[in-house]
Every structure is written in C-alpha cells, then in structure tokens.
Amino acid sequence: MNKVFHVPLEERKYKDINQFGEGDQAKVCVDIMHKTGAHLELSLAKDQGLSIMVSGKLDAVMKARKEIVSRLQTQASATVGIPKEHHRFVIGKNGEKLQELELKTATKIQIPRPDDPSNQIKISGTKEGLEKAKHEILLISAEQVLWIPNATTIAVEVKKSQHKYVIGPKGNTLQEILDRTGVSVEIPPSDSSSETVILRGEPDRLGQALTEANSYTVSSVSAPSWLHRFIIGKKGQNLAKITQQMPKVHIEFTEGEDKITLEGPTKDVQMVQSQIEAIVTDLVSRMDYAEISVDPKFHRHLIGKGGVNINRIKELHKVTVRIPPDNEKSNLIRIEGDPQGVQEAKKELLELASRMENERTKDLIIEQRFHRAIIGQKGEKIKEVRDKFPEVIINFPDPAQKSDIVQLRGPRNEVEKCSKFMQKIVENSFSVSVPIFKQFHRNIIGKGGSNIKKIREETNTKIDLPAENSNSEMIVITGKKANCEAARNRILAIQKELANITEIDVSIPSKLHNSLIGSKGRLVRSIMEECGGVHIHFPTEGSGIDKVTIRGPVEEVEKAKQQLLALAEEKQTKSHTAELHAKPEYHKFLIGKGGGNIRKVRDSTGARIIFPTPEDKDQELITVVGTEEAVREAQKELEELIKSLDNVVEDTMIVDPKHHRYFVARRGQVLRDLADEYGGVMVSFPRTGSQSEKVTLKGAKECVEAAKKRMQEIVEDLEAQVTIECVIPQKFHRSIMGPKGSRIQQITRDHNVQIKFPEREDPQGKNCENGEANGEVKEPVDPNAPKKCDVIVISGRKERCEAAEEALKALVPVTIEVEVPFELHRYIIGQKGSGIRKMMDEFEVNIQVPAPEQQSDKISITGLANHLDRAKEGLLERVKELQAEQEDRALRSFKLTITVDPKYHPKIIGRKGAIITNIRTEHDVNIQFPEKTDENQDQITITGYEHKAIAARDAIQAIVNELEEMISENITLDSRVHARIIGARGKGIRKIMDEFKVDLRFPQSGAADPNLVTVIGRPELVDEAIDHLLNLEEEYVSFPLLHSMDEQRGPSKGFVVREAPWTTTNEKVSIFPQP
C-alpha cells in the first residue's frame, strides 16, 4: 500500500533546501528503509514542507511512519499547568502511572517536587508526543473536576471508519466542534468495536455538533492498478499537489486493486475525487500497456551492459519497461506509456529476443602474439570493442594455454561485424623489426624528431626506437603490413644515404634456414660478428620463402654472402657438428687478435668454429660445424692447441727498468689486457727500486710466446717514443676532454699515445708565467713563448703523436657571430633560459647572448666546427619564427572604439558576462569597458585582428540597435505581492523575464512610490508581461491570508480532552470547556 505523510517546515529537523536529497536527511531515510523494509520517496511542497510517500506492506508502512515522526520531526518541549493537588494522580501509585504515560507517548515528563510551589509540568519529546502527553495529563486532571451542570447527553451511531475524521489530526476537529458549539464529543477507543459516539452539551447546540461530526465521508475512484504510479507521479509530486490543497483528505492506493480510496470531509473528498477522475481519464486516453513473454535467459541481453539497451529503448519510445528480476523466474515483460511508443517498444523488444534466439558462437583464430595488442594496456582497447558491440561477449584464452582461439558469442549479425572489426585490428597490429646501425639512429629521428614524426604520419604506423643506453639496433614498426613495409623502406633509405650501405638477397633453400641460424642464433651471429656487424635477415619460419637478406657495408656484405652460401652448400652435401671444451680464458687467445687465429684454422680446414656468447650457460663449449672431414681436421687442430695451452711453462725476458712503470701503471691495466688476450698468461715484474731487468712470464707455452712477442713490440714502441707539445689555450681544455674525459680516452685508444694535460692556472699566475720558479729569478724568455698552462704533452711514436695532435686541435671550439635583432634576444633565451638551453643541447654548442645594456645585435655561437653550421641555421630559423610572431602580434593589436550609451552596458555584458564572453570568444578579440573613473563612460574599446574587431563591433551595435527599439512602461503593482512575484532567490521574476523576454525593475525599500514597477522590452512583449503581472496581483491579493482567517475565528475558549482516540484504554473520550 501507499501512504503520504507531511512534515511542516517548522517541524522539519533538516531544513537546508540546498542539500535536499543528500546529507543527513538522506542517510536517515535510507536507514529507515533498511530498518522497516518500506520504500520512501521525498518531495518538497511549495511551503517547503516535506511530503513523504511510503510504499510497502501495512506493518512496514506504520513502522516507517513511527520512525519518520521520531527522526525527521524536531524534538520540542512544553509545559502544562494543572492544580498542584492533581499532580499525585499523574504520578500514580509508586510512579507507575507516570512511567506508563512516558512509555505510551515517547516523552520525558518532569513533575515539580512536593516542596516546589509551581504547578507547571514540563514535557519534552516530538511534537506529536508532546500533544499526546499534554492531552493525557489534562485528561487525568479533568477527571478530578465536576461535570457541567444542565448538560444533555445523546448517543449516535457513526461508522467506525469515520471516527478518526471526527477526532481529526491531534484532536483538532474535536476542538473545533467544542469551540464552535460548546458540545463535547466522546469517541470510543480505537481498539473498541463500538460505533457509538456520545455528545454532551446544551440541548440547542447538539444538532449543530451532530451535523459537524457526520460531515466526513469515504469514497473511491476506479483506476487501473497499473496507472497508480503515474497518478502518484515521480516522488509523489502529482499527489502532493492535491494533498497540499486538501490536507484533510486521506488518499489510499492498494496494490493490485483497480481503485483509489478517499477519506475526509465530504466537500473536500468530492473535489479531490473530481481531480483524480480527471487525471485517470486523461491517462487512460493517452496511455497504454502491453505484456510480452521472453525466456528469462535472454533478459540480461535485453537489458545490456549497464542497462545500455533497455535505457535506449525507454528514452527512444518514451515508455517504461519492467523486466522481472532473476529471482522471480518470470517470462512476462511489461511495457507502459504512450500507445504508439508501447507498440514500437514491444516490436523492438520482440525483435531483440528473436535475435537472441538466433545467437551464435564463433571461434576467431588470432595469433596469441596479437592478443595483448587487441586487449591494450589495462584493457582499454578491448573495452572500446565491447562498447562498440555491447551484445557480443568476447572471451580470450588464458595466456598459459598458448591458444590462438578467441571466442565471440552473441547475435549472428553482431558476431560477424565484431569478427571483421577484430580482424581489422589484427591487420593494424602487424609488426616488423628493422636493424639499423646504432650511429644512424639520431639521423632517423631527425631534428626535433621531425624525420620519425613525418614517417609515422605518412605511413600511419607506430615506430619504436631502442633507448640510447641499449645495445639493441632494432627499430620496431607496428601497423598494417603494407604500411610497415613502406616505413621500413624509408628508414633503410635514410641509412643507405648516410653510409655506403648495401642490401642484397641470397636464395637459400628454406629447409636449411634453421641449421644456418643455429642453436639460439649462434651460427648466424658468428657470421655477422666476423663480417663487421652486417645484418642477416631470415624469413619467418614456415613461410617457405628462400630469400635471405644481408645488409651492411659493401665489402662485408659480399664476405657474409660467400660464407652463407658456403655454409649452405656444406649443409646440403653433408653437414657435421662436433663439440669440444676449453677454459674461457683461453678463448681470446684461440680467436686471436681481430679473429686472426681462428680464421687460419677455418681457411686451412674449411670448418666454422663457434664460441659461446656471454648469455650461454656453458661458457667452455666450442662448436665446430662443416663437412665431416673439415670438422675432424679443425677439431684435431683445436684440441692440440688447447692441450698445449694446458702445458704450463715459465719464461723470462729482459725489459729496461725505465719501461717497467708503463706496464704496471694504472693498477696494471696493460698486464691485465695481456692476460685477457693471451690465455691468462701471468707476467711478474721485479720490485720497484731493485733495478732488475728480468721479467717472468708464466702460462701455456704458445700464450707465453705470444705475450712475450707483444711485450717486445711495446718496448720497441717505448724506445721509439717521442714527446711533442700541442699548444691549446687552457680555456678549451675542459671542452676537449669531454664528459669524464671520454674524448681524450678515445684519442688515446685510436692513436695508441699518452696525453698529459697541464695543471690548472694558479690564481697568481705562477703556473703560467715564465721568469720565476722556486724563488730563483731566471733570465727572461721570449714573450711570444706559449704559457705552460696551455701546453698539452703527447707521447708515443712520432707519426701517432702527430695524428693525435691533429685530432686534439679538431676538438678546439670555434666561435662565430650571428646577426639577431636585439629585441628578439629575450624570446630566444626563453622563460628562465629554457629556449636557449634547448638549442644548446640540440646542436651541442654554447650560445652567448650579450647583456641587455649592450644593446648588441650579435649573438656568439661556440662549438666544434662541424656543429656550427647546423646551430647557425637553427638560430636563424628561430629568428624567422619570432619575426612572424611579431608581425602576428602587430596585426592582433588593431584597436577601434565604439560609442554606446552606458545604460546599455549591463545588457551588452549579460548575466555573469555571458553575452560579452560569447562575443570575445566568437571573434577572438579583447573588449574593454570604461572604468568608473574614466572620462568617456560611453567608449568601448575592441582589440584584435582588424576584420575580427569590425565583426565584434557590428555584433555589439546589433545588440544596441535592438535595445534602442525597446520601450519602458511603469505600472502600479500592490507592494504586498512584490515578494511573491519575485519568488525565492528571484526564481519567480527570472521565469517571467525569460518567458516574456522583458526586464522587470521593482522599487527599492524606501522608494517614494513602493508600488511602482518598471517593465522594459519590445512593445508587444511589454504589454503581455504587464497583463500577466496584473493577473498575478489580482490572484495574490484576493487569496485569503492566514492572519485574517485567525481574526475571524475569535479568541479560543480552551478545552480539556479526556481519553483521546489514540489511547489504549477502553474508556470513552470526554471533552469539556475549561471553567
């Protein structure tokens, strides 16, 4: 059943209308619903009272009502005065009566102590509880007073259902009968079956009292039960409008019954009945319903994910659709709404159900490597697919299953569409890896990423390059196959332009590819390393393609081709493999410098020897591949060589002590290099200061001999060593050294020389100036002689030292000057120097901008000669950009003014600046209104491009022209109705102004004529607005005010009520006027 309860504004516990539907009030309502099982819908009446519609079973509704009264109505206190001698009757024997009274009324009652002369009893609790308690106390007191003399008593039969209306809310009706007639009415208790009502009073007043007591009726309105919720309205709004007008009428809807019960005063019931009958007639004429049967297994598909399907149908056809929950296991779906909408929704739902019956499952074969690309990061991409095809369920296999089957389930057509869409995604997920020599990656990226960006955009592919600190040379391209190939060709073309790179295709039977690649790619990797790092690309396994691609420097590519073909021929004739083991420290010696030793073995035997990579588990395993005879010979040679390495010998050699320091310097780096290269040979030098020339070598015989030979070569180099001086100003030394000395280390390795930089310049110049040393004065030297702090010493063979000197001088920065207008300097520097830092990082130069006070147009660029041209070109390009921006700023600075009467300014600006903001945005201009202190208050300034400023001016002028056509009329409107017309927070006046497109101005407080209202707008709209305002005035002025009604009633006589109908006793109710 449904019941509506009202909480007046003054009794609401939570009165913040800004938080209606949220906050503590909402939490209380949710708690009441959970506690009682009833459903609550709240709405606000015009007087800000609270209307609560409670739906549910009868006991749940009554429990909810009790909770609403106690938790949503304010707690109050009151006092009631009765004679002091009556207090003991309120308390009762041992306080039992008082406890019973507090429990029954849910209040706290405080009675003055016997020694307190006060006769006031204090009551606290809800308003309803206060009234009940007050009533009970007065009733107890009334029992102690005498009956009215000459009173006549009559008994009448009144239907039990009408008793509550005779009593009225909180006994108000009984009080009204008593006030108007002086007759008390006694009603039997609610739990009594008696229908006898006793009236006591003066004989001539009993007839009037009897008429009033019978002036209540019960009626019903026929209405189909499915229309009940439409009659009630959203959150009870429709019903609230009726009950606010007729609060004494009780309206009851019973679920499943095709009627609405009305109870209340006869006249009010008749009015409400006519209103509800009109609503029912209207709803029946324009609404219909239909019921369809659909298998429950399809219900969730009809609803769709997140209700997307059913919500779309509801919005499209303006209907409500009730799909039974799963626990009901019902086939019946009910559609209600506009007759046409109901039929259309019915048709669409039946079609959907029919499609569900035609549902199919399809297995889509998609390689597992593409699954992650389709799913996307955190499932973003597959969510887009599911949103696009909400009726299709997509299931991917578990990655551990390594399955390629993706299952689609849903309507046949949707499954097919989804299948094609996902195959398209797979097409766009094709990936290809392109090996590009690391030194060319920067050129592939281009200046500011321009090259790579252009390739990505024009080929519509995704291109990923390895990190700078990565050893990988692979560039990965993702997209459609044709697009990936196009991007790959363009990247290879860039590499080909930059170096003497060639690419050839070699035809080798596909059945041999795996054997040529070798276990974990070891065999093909050994060919690539031996041939200068060429790239060898085999086609995908199982493709059946014979073409193998080799790319790299011309000579190395040819060498790799010959080796591949030779190896393929061996594999075709009769390939054989053998394995042998050797200590890892022997591997470098076996390979030899530049692979010389191992090349000799291969040339003499024709077999290929493969050494383990750092990633291989078995670091001692050496693999020999070739024909059986070649493998046998190579294996024999290697085994003899390894055996000889295991034969440890000790030998000595003579090295001049002056060269010992070279070998043991830098923590014995030279000796460690010898041990790595020559099978771990140990070299021992005599102790420092012993002046011994004998050096001991210990290790495998061949290793010792090779190491001894290498040491003799080093000694010969040291004997032939010269020292030359390279003069470079000290200010360039740090730049020459590079980060952590990397550039000097590279020159040292490349030219096999030693380079020593001078100490840094002393603040007093002692390290730089000649003529004074250790306190001794020397003869003056040539003033043109270089400073010591500028001299870099290079040691090594003469020809190597000269080459190193040239390399050092090539690193000396060069400075050039570029002409840049002074006014652009600050833009080139950028915010906090960000602009200039970016250019310096990009071009690897130093850019010096002169100080502002110099007003110079010269900017200095310092850096390596091969970097300066790019830096200068980049700087000049930036200058062109800035000059273009300057020109654009000049064009945007066009100004014009328009003269507009200040009275129109607020209208041009609009509410909260809406109109002027729209003009500014639309025309991309700045519009400035005059300040209050400006002389020309009618001048509006517009700044922007000339044509846009003119367009903005025309837009403002159009508004002004429209405003000038408006008229202003004054009308006299009773000031008492102004507040009602304006409404709460101006809501009413805004509605009128929006409806009639006029401006209304009400007088301020203290105005000479408080009734004068000004209406501004177009003539025809002003007339309509005035008529509307005058109608409102007439309506509001004629509306009966509460205070006038109170005056008509006259002073209250007061009354005493005994045994109210809500009591639990079987005694009758008595109402007496107070003496």
Side-chain angles (χ1 to χ4, degrees):
M1 68 178 297
N2 299 315
K3 278 190 177 289
V4 179
F5 302 107
H6 299 281
V7 181
L9 174 64
E10 61 274 10
E11 293 183 20
R12 283 178 57 193
K13 184 176 284 188
Y14 307 101
K15 296 182 181 178
D16 188 352
I17 61 172
N18 293 325
Q19 287 194 339
F20 181 71
E22 55 187 62
D24 293 337
Q25 180 174 276
K27 290 177 184 175
V28 169
C29 290
V30 171
D31 187 49
I32 291 172
M33 288 193 286
H34 285 315
K35 189 179 290 186
T36 65
H39 179 71
L40 274 60
E41 288 189 9
L42 280 69
S43 62
L44 273 180
K46 289 181 180 177
D47 61 358
Q48 301 303 316
L50 196 63
S51 292
I52 307 170
M53 188 176 76
V54 185
S55 308
K57 294 182 179 178
L58 180 62
D59 60 335
V61 170
M62 299 317 294
K63 284 180 185 176
R65 180 184 181 279
K66 184 179 178 183
E67 290 287 331
I68 289 166
V69 169
S70 64
R71 299 178 67 181
L72 294 181
Q73 285 186 257
T74 52
Q75 300 287 303
S77 62
T79 57
V80 58
I82 62 171
K84 185 78 175 175
E85 58 269 20
H86 294 174
H87 286 194
R88 61 192 181 89
F89 297 104
V90 176
I91 297 170
K93 188 179 180 180
N94 297 324
E96 291 176 0
K97 185 68 176 177
L98 181 62
Q99 290 176 8
E100 181 189 347
L101 194 58
E102 286 182 331
L103 186 63
K104 187 193 303 182
T105 60
T107 57
K108 178 70 178 172
I109 301 171
Q110 293 178 330
I111 298 176
R113 296 174 62 82
D115 55 356
D116 188 341
S118 172
N119 67 346
Q120 298 293 316
I121 296 175
K122 188 177 180 182
I123 312 165
S124 57
T126 64
K127 276 200 144 187
E128 187 177 2
L130 291 180
E131 293 297 331
K132 286 183 180 180
K134 197 173 179 181
H135 168 76
E136 291 286 344
I137 291 168
L138 289 173
L139 208 110
I140 292 168
S141 180
E143 288 176 352
Q144 315 309 316
V145 298
L146 297 173
W147 290 81
I148 302 170
N150 302 322
T152 300
T153 301
I154 63 169
V156 293
E157 296 300 314
V158 179
K159 286 184 180 180
K160 191 75 177 176
S161 61
Q162 287 190 226
H163 285 194
K164 56 185 175 182
Y165 302 111
V166 177
I167 297 166
K170 301 179 185 178
N172 287 346
T173 306
L174 292 177
Q175 181 189 355
E176 289 173 9
I177 294 171
L178 182 63
D179 290 344
R180 285 196 290 269
T181 66
V183 175
S184 65
V185 182
E186 296 178 5
I187 306 291
S190 57
D191 56 355
S192 170
S193 60
S194 173
E195 294 186 341
T196 303
V197 175
I198 297 173
L199 286 78
R200 183 177 288 108
E202 295 177 12
D204 58 341
R205 297 290 186 93
L206 290 176
Q208 183 185 350
L210 183 60
T211 303
E212 291 195 24
N214 278 308
S215 65
Y216 292 83
T217 186
V218 178
S219 182
S220 64
V221 178
S222 294
S225 60
W226 68 274
L227 283 179
H228 286 188
R229 63 192 186 86
F230 297 103
I231 296 168
I232 294 167
K234 191 176 182 182
K235 295 185 179 179
Q237 287 177 353
N238 295 347
L239 206 59
K241 291 177 184 176
I242 298 172
T243 54
Q244 283 164 21
Q245 294 172 1
M246 304 292 173
K248 294 182 180 180
V249 178
H250 175 71
I251 306 169
E252 186 171 324
F253 296 79
T254 306
E255 190 173 353
E257 291 188 11
D258 293 337
K259 69 174 184 177
I260 301 167
T261 305
L262 311 177
E263 300 174 351
T266 306
K267 288 183 181 179
D268 290 358
V269 165
Q270 288 171 353
M271 290 183 69
V272 171
Q273 184 172 349
S274 64
Q275 289 182 40
I276 292 178
E277 283 175 347
I279 293 172
V280 171
T281 304
D282 175 59
L283 288 171
V284 168
S285 67
R286 62 182 178 84
M287 294 197 73
D288 195 6
Y289 76 93
E291 292 180 339
I292 59 174
S293 181
V294 177
D295 194 318
K297 70 180 180 181
F298 298 136
H299 286 184
R300 66 189 183 94
H301 298 294
L302 292 178
I303 295 168
K305 190 173 183 181
V308 64
N309 292 345
I310 203 68
N311 289 338
R312 181 187 60 77
I313 292 170
K314 286 177 180 178
E315 290 173 12
L316 181 63
H317 303 297
K318 308 298 182 191
V319 295
T320 58
V321 182
R322 186 188 181 276
I323 298 178
D326 293 341
N327 56 2
E328 286 188 18
K329 295 182 180 178
S330 171
N331 293 354
L332 211 60
I333 294 176
R334 187 181 178 94
I335 311 160
E336 299 169 355
D338 175 73
Q340 185 180 350
V342 167
Q343 293 306 314
E344 289 174 353
K346 177 182 176 181
K347 182 181 177 183
E348 186 169 348
L349 283 169
L350 288 172
E351 286 175 356
L352 275 173
S354 176
R355 286 207 296 270
M356 296 299 171
E357 290 173 356
N358 295 327
E359 186 183 75
R360 64 163 294 188
T361 300
K362 181 175 182 178
D363 290 339
L364 199 60
I365 307 300
I366 299 174
E367 288 183 56
Q368 194 181 36
R369 64 193 177 103
F370 293 127
H371 289 187
R372 184 171 290 180
I374 294 170
I375 294 168
Q377 191 174 10
K378 296 182 180 179
E380 291 173 358
K381 290 187 178 178
I382 196 63
K383 184 178 181 298
E384 290 176 11
V385 178
R386 285 177 172 143
D387 290 343
K388 189 176 180 68
F389 303 99
E391 297 176 84
V392 179
I393 298 169
I394 305 168
N395 290 320
F396 283 86
D398 191 297
Q401 294 177 359
K402 294 187 177 180
S403 171
D404 294 337
I405 298 174
V406 177
Q407 191 180 73
L408 309 180
R409 191 173 75 252
R412 186 182 301 273
N413 292 340
E414 290 298 301
V415 166
E416 289 302 322
K417 288 178 186 175
C418 183
S419 172
K420 289 176 183 177
F421 185 79
M422 290 182 69
Q423 284 171 342
K424 193 173 181 181
I425 294 175
V426 173
E427 286 178 14
N428 291 330
S429 301
F430 180 80
S431 180
V432 62
S433 297
V434 187
I436 297 293
F437 292 103
K438 194 79 175 177
Q439 63 266 34
F440 300 132
H441 282 200
R442 179 178 290 185
N443 305 93
I444 301 293
I445 295 168
K447 181 183 173 184
S450 58
N451 287 353
I452 200 73
K453 185 179 178 183
K454 188 177 180 182
I455 296 170
R456 282 171 177 156
E457 288 175 354
E458 292 182 1
T459 61
N460 193 25
T461 55
K462 180 186 175 187
I463 303 174
D464 295 315
L465 287 91
E468 286 186 15
N469 55 358
S470 167
N471 293 324
S472 173
E473 294 183 336
M474 290 296 180
I475 296 176
V476 181
I477 308 169
T478 308
K480 286 186 178 180
K481 186 174 182 180
N483 294 347
C484 290
E485 291 297 334
R488 174 180 175 274
N489 294 337
R490 290 183 62 168
I491 290 172
L492 290 174
I494 293 172
Q495 180 180 247
K496 195 170 183 179
E497 286 176 12
L498 295 168
N500 185 21
I501 302 296
T502 186
E503 182 179 301
I504 63 170
D505 294 331
V506 182
S507 182
I508 297 174
S510 57
K511 63 182 181 180
L512 300 176
H513 290 185
N514 281 344
S515 59
L516 292 176
I517 293 169
S519 176
K520 297 181 181 179
R522 289 171 62 196
L523 186 54
V524 75
R525 193 165 54 244
S526 70
I527 297 174
M528 289 193 289
E529 289 172 359
E530 191 176 326
C531 299
V534 297
H535 295 142
I536 300 175
H537 176 71
F538 284 84
T540 309
E541 186 179 355
S543 63
I545 299 171
D546 295 339
K547 185 174 73 173
V548 177
T549 304
I550 309 171
R551 186 170 60 256
V554 179
E555 293 179 3
E556 301 297 338
V557 165
E558 190 59 34
K559 191 191 297 183
K561 176 185 174 183
Q562 297 302 327
Q563 289 196 25
L564 265 180
L565 291 173
L567 197 56
E569 190 177 343
E570 287 176 10
K571 295 286 183 184
Q572 274 183 312
T573 52
K574 195 175 180 182
S575 180
H576 190 71
T577 302
E579 294 179 349
L580 59 156
H581 291 77
K583 293 178 182 177
E585 55 264 30
Y586 293 164
H587 291 187
K588 276 193 177 181
F589 179 75
L590 293 173
I591 295 168
K593 192 171 182 180
N597 293 348
I598 212 68
R599 197 178 296 113
K600 287 178 184 175
V601 176
R602 192 181 64 243
D603 292 345
S604 62
T605 63
R608 172 165 295 280
I609 296 102
I610 303 169
F611 286 84
T613 62
E615 291 78 25
D616 291 336
K617 288 183 180 179
D618 191 347
Q619 288 293 305
E620 294 187 354
L621 181 65
I622 300 172
T623 306
V624 185
V625 180
T627 61
E628 187 176 355
E629 185 181 349
V631 167
R632 188 168 55 251
E633 290 180 8
Q635 185 178 6
K636 184 180 177 183
E637 281 191 35
L638 285 172
E639 284 174 345
E640 289 176 357
L641 197 54
I642 292 166
K643 189 176 180 182
S644 65
L645 291 175
D646 288 334
N647 181 21
V648 178
V649 298
E650 187 174 311
D651 198 0
T652 60
M653 66 178 293
I654 302 300
V655 177
D656 194 316
K658 67 180 180 182
H659 300 312
H660 289 190
R661 182 175 176 78
Y662 174 82
F663 288 98
V664 298
R666 291 175 293 151
R667 298 183 180 180
Q669 183 62 46
V670 175
L671 296 180
R672 285 201 299 275
D673 291 343
L674 286 169
D676 288 343
E677 191 172 347
Y678 300 105
V681 67
M682 294 173 61
V683 182
S684 301
F685 278 80
R687 291 179 178 275
T688 306
S690 66
Q691 297 300 316
S692 172
E693 297 179 341
K694 191 168 87 171
V695 177
T696 304
L697 293 87
K698 188 175 182 181
K701 186 176 181 181
E702 285 78 5
C703 293
V704 168
E705 291 297 327
K708 188 175 179 182
K709 184 179 179 183
R710 175 62 187 141
M711 288 179 70
Q712 286 170 345
E713 289 174 0
I714 292 171
V715 170
E716 286 175 9
D717 285 344
L718 293 172
E719 292 289 349
Q721 183 171 290
V722 297
T723 299
I724 65 171
E725 293 182 347
C726 177
V727 179
I728 296 174
Q730 192 181 44
K731 63 181 180 179
F732 299 130
H733 288 187
R734 180 168 293 186
S735 173
I736 292 170
M737 288 180 184
K740 297 181 181 180
S742 58
R743 291 175 179 170
I744 290 303
Q745 291 169 12
Q746 188 63 43
I747 293 173
T748 303
R749 284 194 297 271
D750 292 346
H751 301 285
N752 195 21
V753 295
Q754 289 182 323
I755 301 173
K756 185 178 180 183
F757 280 77
E759 294 180 8
R760 293 190 60 76
E761 184 176 1
D762 190 277
Q764 287 80 29
K766 291 180 181 178
N767 294 335
C768 276
E769 298 297 334
N770 293 321
E772 186 177 327
N774 301 324
E776 297 179 6
V777 178
K778 295 186 177 180
E779 290 295 324
V781 296
D782 184 359
N784 296 323
K787 296 178 182 180
K788 286 184 179 180
C789 57
D790 295 338
V791 177
I792 300 170
V793 178
I794 308 171
S795 302
R797 285 185 176 271
K798 186 177 179 181
E799 64 277 8
R800 293 174 181 170
C801 289
E802 289 171 353
E805 183 181 15
E806 291 298 321
L808 282 173
K809 288 181 177 178
L811 294 176
V812 175
V814 180
T815 300
I816 61 171
E817 289 185 341
V818 182
E819 194 86 22
V820 177
F822 171 72
E823 62 270 15
L824 298 180
H825 288 191
R826 63 193 183 97
Y827 300 111
I828 286 171
I829 294 170
Q831 190 176 15
K832 295 182 180 179
S834 59
I836 202 165
R837 276 199 303 275
K838 183 181 177 184
M839 292 179 69
M840 289 194 292
D841 291 342
E842 184 178 349
F843 302 115
E844 298 181 29
V845 294
N846 181 46
I847 301 175
Q848 187 70 36
V849 179
E853 55 269 17
Q854 294 180 14
Q855 300 273 313
S856 172
D857 291 339
K858 303 284 187 183
I859 288 182
S860 301
I861 305 176
T862 305
L864 300 182
N866 57 343
H867 292 169
L868 291 179
D869 289 340
R870 284 179 57 247
K872 180 179 178 181
E873 184 183 336
L875 181 58
L876 291 175
E877 192 174 319
R878 178 64 180 145
V879 169
K880 285 180 184 177
E881 290 175 5
L882 292 171
Q883 287 172 339
E885 288 174 11
Q886 271 188 332
E887 291 174 9
D888 184 63
R889 278 197 295 273
L891 291 172
R892 288 177 67 93
S893 301
F894 177 80
K895 281 188 180 182
L896 62 80
T897 57
I898 179 173
T899 303
V900 177
D901 193 322
K903 69 181 180 181
Y904 296 139
H905 289 191
K907 288 292 182 183
I908 295 169
I909 294 169
R911 190 176 174 208
K912 295 184 180 179
I915 296 173
I916 201 66
T917 301
N918 187 45
I919 294 173
R920 284 172 176 149
T921 306
E922 184 179 348
H923 300 288
D924 191 22
V925 294
N926 180 34
I927 302 173
Q928 193 69 37
F929 284 82
E931 299 286 343
K932 291 182 179 179
T933 55
D934 290 350
E935 291 181 8
N936 300 322
Q937 286 294 305
D938 59 352
Q939 298 291 315
I940 298 175
T941 306
I942 306 171
T943 309
Y945 292 115
E946 184 175 357
H947 66 285
K948 291 188 176 181
I950 292 169
R953 179 197 64 190
D954 293 344
I956 292 172
Q957 189 61 51
I959 295 172
V960 172
N961 294 341
E962 187 177 335
L963 292 170
E964 286 175 345
E965 291 176 8
M966 293 183 179
I967 63 167
S968 174
E969 281 197 26
N970 294 330
I971 61 169
T972 300
L973 206 64
D974 194 325
S975 60
R976 291 176 297 169
V977 302
H978 288 190
R980 295 195 66 181
I981 291 173
I982 292 169
R985 298 187 178 182
K987 188 176 180 182
I989 193 172
R990 279 200 301 275
K991 184 179 178 184
I992 294 169
M993 290 194 293
D994 290 343
E995 184 178 348
F996 294 98
K997 302 293 186 294
V998 295
D999 188 20
L1000 298 181
R1001 295 181 185 173
F1002 284 81
Q1004 296 181 350
S1005 59
D1009 186 355
N1011 299 325
L1012 191 67
V1013 176
T1014 305
V1015 186
I1016 304 168
R1018 290 181 178 274
E1020 65 277 9
L1021 297 176
V1022 167
D1023 291 340
E1024 291 178 14
I1026 289 173
D1027 289 343
H1028 181 71
L1029 289 170
L1030 293 175
N1031 288 337
L1032 287 176
E1033 178 192 31
E1034 184 179 351
E1035 180 185 339
Y1036 295 154
V1037 168
S1038 62
F1039 190 77
L1041 300 176
L1042 292 175
H1043 66 81
S1044 63
M1045 291 172 66
D1046 292 338
E1047 290 170 3
Q1048 291 171 8
R1049 288 178 185 170
S1052 174
K1053 294 179 183 178
F1055 64 91
V1056 177
V1057 185
R1058 185 178 68 180
E1059 301 301 330
W1062 49 78
T1063 61
T1064 57
T1065 64
N1066 292 324
E1067 298 178 13
K1068 293 181 180 179
V1069 177
S1070 299
I1071 302 175
F1072 307 97
Q1074 284 191 0

